[in-house]
Amino acid sequence: MNVNQSAPPVPPFGQNQPIYPGYHQSGYGGQPGPAAPAYGAYNGPLPGYQQTLPQGVPRAPPSSGAPPASTAPAPCGQTTYGQFGQGDIQNGPSSTAQMQRVPGSQQFGSPLAPQVNQPAVLQPYGPPPTSTQVTAQLAGMQISGAVSQAPPSSGLSYGSPTSLASASGSFPNSGPYGSYPQSQAPPLSQTQGHPGVQPPLRSAPPLASSFTPPASGGPRMPSMTGPLPPGQGFGSLPVSQPNHVSLPPAHAVPPGTQMTGPSVPPPPMHSPQQPGYQLQQNGSFGPARGPQPNYESPYPGAPTFGSQPGPPQPLPPKRLDPDAIPSPQLNELPPQQKTRHRIDPDAIPSPIQVIEDDRNNRGSEPFVTGVRGQVPPLVTTNFLVKDQGNASPRYIRCTSYNIPCTSDMAKQAQVPLAAVIKPLARLPLEEASPYVVDHGESGPLRCNRCKAYMCPLMTFIEGGRRFQCSFCSCINDVPPQYFQHLDHTGKRVDAYDRPELSLGSYEFLATVDYCKNNKFPSPPAFIFMIDVSYNAIRTGLVRLLCEELKSLLDYLPREGGAEESAIRVGFVTYNKVLHFYNVKSSLAQPQMMVVSDVADMFVPLLDGFLVNVNESRGVITSLLDQIPEMFADTRETETVFAPVIQAGMEALKAAECAGKLFLFHTSLPIAEAPGKLKNRDDRKLINTDKEKTLFQPQTGTYQTLAKDCVTQGCCVDLFLFPNQYVDVATLSVVPQLTGGSVYKYACFQVENDQERFLSDLRRDVQKVVGFDAVMRVRTSTGIRAVDFFGAFYMSNTTDVELAGLDEDKTVTVEFKHDDRLSEESGALLQCALLYTSCAGQRRLRIHNLALNCCTQLADLYRNCETDTLINYMAKFAYRGVLNSPVKTVRDTLITQCAQILACYRKNCASPSSAGQLILPECMKLLPVYLNCVLKSDVLQPGAEVTTDDRAYVRQLVSSMDVAETNVFFYPRLLPLTKSPIDNTTEPPAVRASEERLSSGDIYLLENGLNLFVWVGASVQQGVVQSLFNVSSFSQITSGLSVLPVLDNPLSKKVRSLIDSLRAQRMRYMKLIVVKQEDKLEMLFKHFLVEDKSLSGGASYVDFLCHMHKEIRQLLS
């Protein structure tokens, strides 16, 4: 390719956007896009400015757009003009349009439309317009399988655009993937030629997004007019179509230097109300456009301009092109780097940009669940849900909402078909909790054959006397007491009065047939089991815990409007032996009973062990006062563990109720007793075939014990306070299999860790829990649930058994085909959870979801959700390390990702040169997120990561929901000092890379478990004083875990932001203040996941190159 030839500048905006789910977008199937008006400067025309298109250029097909998220909103009150009416090209600075120009050398090969000459039409504020991004279709769009080519458009003359040297310098030979020869660097191109970013295309055609250099959401630079920042040239990228020409050689222009743009006809004069477009924060020119949510159902108002729209076709893809990516001049590189091509990090897809776009496009409208197969907004977007027959995405999220009709197609695509289900998820206050339906003694209505529960998906026939099951097609009689007539559409006339006929999620009261031994359950119990060995006493843990329990017992979970909780409580302390306490309300003082025969555990008392808090309050308070004093002088360092769980389970069994054990434990249980463990920590096993043993329990005792606990409905929550190795892999087996949680506070110190521990304990005790639960997922004919991930036990292949299930826990289910699916009927899921509420009521919670089915791979790739895909892949990998070497697990993930993207490239993207990396629009973040999973501590530990840390994270991730894995693998980095102090909204995030840090600013980083405040060395003195109450940077205490409470706007703003972030997460995030160039900074940099990691993990750019190489190998 001739790099000295100058390229005609192609429009900076030509990006395809999401469409309304189900709304027809004719531009993708029926016709080519239009040429844009024949002026080219970056400023819009005057209001009413009229202009005739060149002869023979067809009009714009309607398509909906979505803004680059980081753009500034149009000034308030500014009029929006649409030159060709709604649905066409729009000119002028408008909040909903971007200006476009046509590439110089294009031929049209599609039906022509008549010449258009229309006055400007005022575009009313209201539903987002479906403005098409013109060049999106022109630049190599695939239409009905052929690439459309355009004739030269008249009236545009271009000079040579100037290209800038890349700002970010050359990258080191990084990661396990080594350096990248020039011929292989994945070209990053966006055939649409949009230097900005694309919003996640959710229901739109499977945009193969291609990128321009400053593409896909680089760091969001401050808006400015004037010169482009370094590394951002004007031209679009060379791709394999004839209308792309290579860029001229890069000229190094110092940042801030004035630069001459392409020579173009002078822009029309603009009035003060219509300022020229500024450079937007994502590096592109043009006005910010308003939100454009995606819909999908025929949109009556969309003009089709005389040609029949064909089926939606795959769009021009996201391409990474080495020849088009700004790179340093050869003579600026050190000798060994001259042969390598440098990829500008701003030219690759940005998670920040995608998240921001989705918030702008989909955060304002409620997500209505009435339409089958809709892809919900991202988990990072705040949105309200209106249940109209499908379960809210807060309860169920899928990897794809349009699943292949055949198993062959599914195998070809390699996209895992999975659902992440969170049955008891907590809803925002604005959304109603599921309605409880009571059918009396007859119980809920079910299908006779497959036992699916009545739901909105069932079809009533024969005047309402029978119904056909939509899961197995069996025809069932409707019981007389449930009969109701049908209306003229075949729907029951009482459909909207019955939650089970109109909502996606609801509850049934269960009858006695759904209870153990055919009798209703007693209310559950909580047993607090406290380690009183030397370590626990010395650190002050026992005193702190006993003090907290006095007040915490007033906040046990309760049903609805109940005045007090029905949950009973009991207390045990232990070291080498166990101490049970009788706290019966009639006693003046608590009584202690010691069981020293830990090999044959029994409960020495029944009456007085489990009590009502209010009745026995005096005795309980007395006990909690005495425990720290009783053991104050202990010298006992050894502890037991399995007998403690055994004792709690036996106590629940004797009381004939389910419940939860809260265990507070400090050390490896080495005392002689069942479940005794030895220290087997061995870092030499890392990266060997025996590494998997570090994740496996060292004895089978705990699996057997866990199975007995599940049978009894005894859930275990474990709070660990280790000073050294405690074998988390073994100790966490019982919590993991019983649906419990593990909390770990290494080297616990009351002054530093008290707030974190007490906050976690309060939330753990107060949260909603379902006890003694069984969950089953039913599917319609054609697919079935084959694999399950999470914290539970399974004694057969279909029932997920949970001694306890709380509002934070998810169960991830994978589906496989066992027959052909049909596009008409789609695929249906029904999750039924049978559980005992905290008041002892037996209930069934039902969630229903209908998905679309497709015969075209393009439809599958258009409706995937990357965040859910990553959640599934991480859980799959983290379970894999139990049985396979870590390297094998890593390779499996990389191969699967390469196969997914290669299949898209081969079957859905328009033809292009092998030198381009093409990513589907809604999977453009798959490589960056997957790289974060591969670099995580479980799969690639650094030297400072302990074996216990890895086992802890492994079990934690196994039941995380999609929002938690999203921020855990790709942490949020928020600049605290860039936005005005009086701006109370959350500051916009920046990419997780050291390049984005400025030494004059302060940043906050969070990943759901950790919270860092990073302070740059040259932060202004006033800022340091306002936040830390010291006069200079050097006086800030590194490792500080709490910010001083100061009465100034900055201090209040930062502390309030930290509080709001903590409230969003399921665990309390401990704060650590890190100073630039300080030793703690290494820990902070571990979370800058786009950079190369110390443990050898690749940087994002290098991993993208490696991914591209893998895809090319698969395709060749």
Side-chain angles (χ1 to χ4, degrees):
M1 192 173 255
N2 176 9
V3 285
N4 300 316
Q5 178 184 342
S6 66
V10 228
F13 304 100
Q15 183 126 305
N16 281 43
Q17 311 293 357
I19 12 184
Y20 292 94
Y23 273 38
H24 178 69
Q25 184 157 357
S26 59
Y28 292 134
Q31 320 155 295
Y39 58 83
Y42 288 98
N43 301 298
L46 287 163
Y49 175 75
Q50 262 186 275
Q51 171 169 344
T52 310
L53 276 175
Q55 193 74 29
V57 177
R59 285 185 53 184
S63 88
S64 70
S70 48
T71 55
C76 190
Q78 183 171 305
T79 320
T80 305
Y81 291 89
Q83 187 183 351
F84 301 117
Q86 179 140 346
D88 297 328
I89 309 168
Q90 298 171 327
N91 298 323
S94 99
S95 61
T96 49
Q98 287 176 329
M99 200 205 75
Q100 295 139 348
R101 287 176 296 142
V102 178
S105 56
Q106 297 183 345
Q107 312 130 246
F108 279 86
S110 303
L112 299 180
Q115 177 179 344
V116 178
N117 186 0
Q118 276 184 303
V121 179
L122 183 65
Q123 187 117 340
Y125 185 76
T130 50
S131 84
T132 184
Q133 295 276 347
V134 189
T135 13
Q137 282 96 346
L138 286 184
M141 171 177 198
Q142 179 172 333
I143 295 183
S144 313
V147 179
S148 65
Q149 297 172 343
S153 59
S154 54
L156 285 175
S157 66
Y158 297 104
S160 296
T162 315
S163 175
L164 292 171
S166 166
S168 26
S170 57
F171 59 85
N173 179 353
S174 61
Y177 311 117
S179 64
Y180 223 72
Q182 176 164 351
S183 61
Q184 290 178 342
L188 232 182
S189 84
Q190 201 134 294
T191 35
Q192 294 100 300
H194 179 356
V197 102
Q198 289 173 279
L201 183 69
R202 327 256 312 153
S203 311
L207 175 63
S209 311
S210 29
F211 288 71
T212 8
S216 206
R220 309 204 334 234
M221 287 161 275
S223 269
M224 57 181 179
T225 41
L228 281 167
Q232 311 216 355
F234 273 164
S236 170
L237 303 178
V239 288
S240 55
Q241 276 102 15
N243 54 341
H244 290 272
V245 202
S246 46
L247 291 173
H251 305 295
V253 180
T257 311
Q258 191 62 41
M259 177 175 117
T260 342
S263 66
V264 285
M269 299 285 291
H270 52 261
S271 62
Q273 290 82 23
Q274 288 192 287
Y277 299 147
Q278 292 185 315
L279 171 65
Q280 295 164 9
Q281 288 181 333
N282 60 0
S284 47
F285 281 93
R289 289 177 307 136
Q292 312 248 343
N294 345 304
Y295 281 123
E296 88 177 342
S297 68
Y299 171 45
T304 53
F305 307 118
S307 85
Q308 283 302 311
Q313 290 292 329
L315 285 182
K318 179 161 288 133
R319 307 185 168 163
L320 298 148
D321 191 338
D323 298 311
I325 287 164
S327 61
Q329 289 257 357
L330 284 185
N331 56 11
E332 295 169 10
L333 293 174
Q336 71 277 16
Q337 284 185 311
K338 288 196 177 177
T339 55
R340 201 177 327 132
H341 217 88
R342 161 137 188 18
I343 293 182
D344 177 8
D346 291 350
I348 53 183
S350 157
I352 303 305
Q353 191 67 52
V354 170
I355 288 168
E356 199 68 25
D357 286 345
D358 194 75
R359 280 181 183 160
N360 291 341
N361 298 342
R362 307 196 65 186
S364 52
E365 293 293 316
F367 177 69
V368 181
T369 70
V371 180
R372 183 177 84 187
Q374 282 185 101
V375 184
L378 298 181
V379 284
T380 42
T381 299
N382 277 332
F383 60 99
L384 282 181
V385 179
K386 286 190 176 168
D387 185 342
Q388 289 191 1
N390 282 299
S392 159
R394 303 190 206 288
Y395 293 125
I396 306 182
R397 277 186 177 266
C398 296
T399 52
S400 177
Y401 287 79
N402 201 332
I403 61 183
C405 281
T406 64
S407 59
D408 291 345
M409 194 172 151
K411 281 185 193 125
Q412 188 183 358
Q414 287 286 315
V415 176
L417 305 175
V420 179
I421 305 174
K422 195 176 182 182
L424 297 178
R426 193 185 350 188
L427 300 180
L429 296 172
E430 302 86 349
E431 293 175 23
S433 297
Y435 289 97
V436 181
V437 180
D438 184 358
H439 282 313
E441 289 182 14
S442 61
L445 186 56
R446 305 176 68 176
C447 168
N448 292 331
R449 185 196 291 162
C450 70
K451 301 296 179 198
Y453 293 86
M454 178 52 68
C455 66
L457 310 168
M458 304 291 192
T459 313
F460 286 87
I461 54 175
E462 295 178 24
R465 286 188 295 280
R466 304 174 90 184
F467 72 90
Q468 181 166 21
C469 174
S470 43
F471 293 88
C472 68
S473 304
C474 174
I475 292 177
N476 302 268
D477 291 329
V478 173
Q481 71 274 16
Y482 199 76
F483 173 77
Q484 185 53 271
H485 294 286
L486 308 185
D487 65 13
H488 65 286
T489 63
K491 208 169 185 167
R492 280 174 58 121
V493 296
D494 66 347
Y496 292 107
D497 301 330
R498 290 187 176 272
E500 75 274 22
L501 298 181
S502 56
L503 298 177
S505 302
Y506 43 87
E507 291 198 326
F508 290 121
L509 281 188
T511 58
V512 74
D513 307 336
Y514 291 87
C515 303
K516 261 187 195 162
N517 309 324
N518 275 5
K519 64 184 227 189
F520 285 110
S522 308
F526 282 178
I527 304 178
F528 296 90
M529 316 188 89
I530 306 167
D531 176 349
V532 288
S533 64
Y534 174 73
N535 276 337
I537 298 291
R538 182 185 57 82
T539 57
L541 167 66
V542 174
R543 188 174 296 279
L544 176 71
L545 175 59
C546 290
E547 203 53 46
E548 175 65 23
L549 285 177
K550 289 180 201 171
S551 56
L552 186 55
L553 293 177
D554 290 332
Y555 297 98
L556 298 176
R558 64 192 75 182
E559 262 320 87
E563 284 184 23
E564 63 175 60
S565 175
I567 292 174
R568 291 168 297 160
V569 297
F571 300 89
V572 172
T573 56
Y574 67 94
N575 39 45
K576 259 200 323 198
V577 297
L578 276 76
H579 323 106
F580 292 79
Y581 297 93
N582 183 346
V583 282
K584 199 173 178 181
S585 56
S586 55
L587 297 175
Q589 284 293 324
Q591 294 173 346
M592 171 168 143
M593 296 180 187
V594 180
V595 177
S596 53
D597 183 3
V598 288
D600 184 18
M601 202 60 233
F602 67 98
V603 180
L605 76 160
L606 290 178
D607 191 28
F609 179 62
L610 294 177
V611 297
N612 176 293
V613 174
N614 286 343
E615 289 171 12
S616 297
R617 181 172 302 281
V619 194
I620 291 173
T621 304
S622 170
L623 170 67
L624 293 172
D625 283 336
Q626 289 176 39
I627 288 174
E629 306 307 328
M630 257 189 296
F631 299 99
D633 301 325
T634 186
R635 286 286 169 264
E636 184 56 74
T637 55
E638 292 189 354
T639 56
V640 295
F641 188 73
V644 184
I645 296 175
Q646 179 85 33
M649 183 193 68
E650 295 291 348
L652 293 175
K653 197 172 186 174
E656 295 186 341
C657 68
K660 187 182 265 198
L661 311 182
F662 295 84
L663 246 82
F664 303 90
H665 189 81
T666 59
S667 56
L668 191 69
I670 53 172
E672 277 308 325
K676 173 186 174 180
L677 301 178
K678 60 180 191 291
N679 187 334
R680 54 165 186 160
D681 190 16
D682 186 358
R683 289 190 62 84
K684 291 198 285 295
L685 297 180
I686 292 178
N687 294 327
T688 69
D689 283 353
K690 288 189 176 173
E691 184 173 5
K692 61 190 176 196
T693 59
L694 297 175
F695 296 109
Q696 296 165 352
Q698 58 172 287
T699 160
T701 309
Y702 291 97
Q703 267 121 326
T704 312
L705 182 56
K707 188 177 170 184
D708 295 341
C709 284
V710 172
T711 306
Q712 185 44 52
C714 167
C715 173
V716 179
D717 279 358
L718 175 60
F719 291 79
L720 283 171
F721 305 86
N723 288 333
Q724 52 200 22
Y725 178 74
V726 288
D727 199 349
V728 173
T730 305
L731 297 189
S732 64
V733 166
V734 179
Q736 178 77 3
L737 291 177
T738 59
S741 307
V742 179
Y743 297 84
K744 181 166 159 287
Y745 309 88
C747 304
F748 179 81
Q749 293 176 306
V750 169
E751 57 277 13
N752 290 338
D753 301 298
Q754 154 179 351
E755 194 180 355
R756 177 173 157 228
F757 162 55
L758 294 182
S759 174
D760 285 343
L761 176 62
R762 286 169 196 149
R763 187 160 190 274
D764 197 56
V765 168
Q766 294 173 43
K767 65 187 172 188
V768 172
V769 183
F771 295 95
D772 205 4
V774 182
M775 185 180 113
R776 182 176 281 197
V777 178
R778 292 179 174 83
T779 54
S780 54
T781 311
I783 53 167
R784 63 194 167 88
V786 293
D787 207 352
F788 299 84
F789 304 82
F792 53 77
Y793 176 75
M794 291 185 80
S795 56
N796 58 37
T797 56
T798 55
D799 293 337
V800 175
E801 297 172 47
L802 302 125
L805 174 70
D806 64 51
E807 60 190 28
D808 297 326
K809 295 282 187 304
T810 64
V811 176
T812 301
V813 187
E814 186 184 4
F815 303 97
K816 288 260 163 70
H817 287 75
D818 57 6
D819 202 348
R820 191 183 169 85
L821 293 164
S822 90
E823 282 185 283
E824 277 166 40
S825 52
L828 313 178
L829 316 178
Q830 184 179 79
C831 162
L833 177 78
L834 174 65
Y835 71 100
T836 301
S837 73
C838 57
Q841 199 175 49
R842 203 70 175 146
R843 291 184 174 183
L844 281 152
R845 180 169 287 201
I846 313 294
H847 298 297
N848 303 288
L849 185 63
L851 303 174
N852 286 330
C853 295
C854 57
T855 52
Q856 300 294 319
L857 283 166
D859 293 324
L860 164 68
Y861 283 101
R862 182 183 300 137
N863 291 283
C864 286
E865 217 212 13
T866 301
D867 293 326
T868 311
L869 204 53
I870 288 294
N871 180 286
Y872 165 83
M873 291 171 98
K875 290 171 180 177
F876 179 80
Y878 282 16
R879 188 178 66 183
V881 297
L882 288 173
N883 307 308
S884 309
V886 172
K887 183 182 184 310
T888 308
V889 173
R890 291 167 49 80
D891 292 345
T892 304
L893 281 184
I894 293 172
T895 306
Q896 182 170 19
C897 180
Q899 283 173 326
I900 291 172
L901 298 176
C903 173
Y904 176 81
R905 169 72 187 252
K906 184 178 172 188
N907 298 290
C908 307
S910 51
S912 58
S913 79
Q916 290 163 333
L917 172 56
I918 303 183
L919 303 171
E921 173 59 23
C922 39
M923 284 189 191
K924 65 183 176 190
L925 298 182
L926 188 60
V928 61
Y929 285 162
L930 185 71
N931 189 36
C932 296
V933 174
L934 294 170
K935 290 202 292 190
S936 63
D937 292 339
V938 174
L939 298 182
Q940 194 161 32
E944 75 294 343
V945 180
T946 66
T947 307
D948 274 349
D949 287 336
R950 297 177 74 195
Y952 172 64
V953 168
R954 195 193 77 77
Q955 60 79 34
L956 191 61
V957 169
S958 71
S959 50
M960 273 187 181
D961 73 6
V962 180
E964 286 154 11
T965 51
N966 173 274
V967 75
F968 178 75
F969 289 115
Y970 192 94
R972 291 165 77 197
L973 184 60
L974 306 172
L976 296 179
T977 44
K978 291 197 171 182
S979 54
I981 291 181
D982 53 2
N983 181 0
T984 52
T985 55
E986 198 174 282
V990 295
R991 293 169 70 165
S993 166
E994 197 176 350
E995 282 187 357
R996 314 289 162 174
L997 300 177
S998 138
S999 64
D1001 286 307
I1002 297 178
Y1003 296 82
L1004 189 145
L1005 182 142
E1006 64 118 356
N1007 75 338
L1009 296 180
N1010 310 85
L1011 194 59
F1012 294 93
V1013 168
W1014 182 89
V1015 188
S1018 43
V1019 170
Q1020 291 174 0
Q1021 192 178 338
V1023 171
V1024 171
Q1025 183 73 48
S1026 299
L1027 210 50
F1028 300 100
N1029 205 24
V1030 294
S1031 55
S1032 70
F1033 173 79
S1034 58
Q1035 292 174 300
I1036 299 171
T1037 312
S1038 181
L1040 195 69
S1041 62
V1042 60
L1043 293 178
V1045 178
L1046 303 173
D1047 188 14
N1048 66 65
L1050 180 64
S1051 175
K1052 287 177 182 169
K1053 177 181 170 178
V1054 172
R1055 284 181 290 110
S1056 144
L1057 175 63
I1058 288 172
D1059 290 344
S1060 83
L1061 291 178
R1062 282 173 171 159
Q1064 293 168 27
R1065 304 293 169 216
M1066 66 170 187
R1067 308 225 165 176
Y1068 182 90
M1069 298 184 288
K1070 180 181 169 182
L1071 177 71
I1072 301 176
V1073 173
V1074 175
K1075 294 163 68 176
Q1076 188 175 4
E1077 308 294 339
D1078 187 78
K1079 59 181 184 295
L1080 267 176
E1081 200 184 23
M1082 295 313 292
L1083 177 62
F1084 171 77
K1085 285 181 179 175
H1086 175 70
F1087 297 98
L1088 299 177
V1089 288
E1090 288 199 19
D1091 300 337
K1092 183 179 173 183
S1093 70
L1094 287 171
S1095 54
S1099 69
Y1100 174 19
V1101 166
D1102 289 335
F1103 183 70
L1104 210 51
C1105 293
H1106 178 69
M1107 208 70 246
H1108 185 223
K1109 197 163 76 182
E1110 294 280 324
I1111 293 167
R1112 288 174 70 172
Q1113 280 173 355
L1114 286 172
L1115 292 173
S1116 60

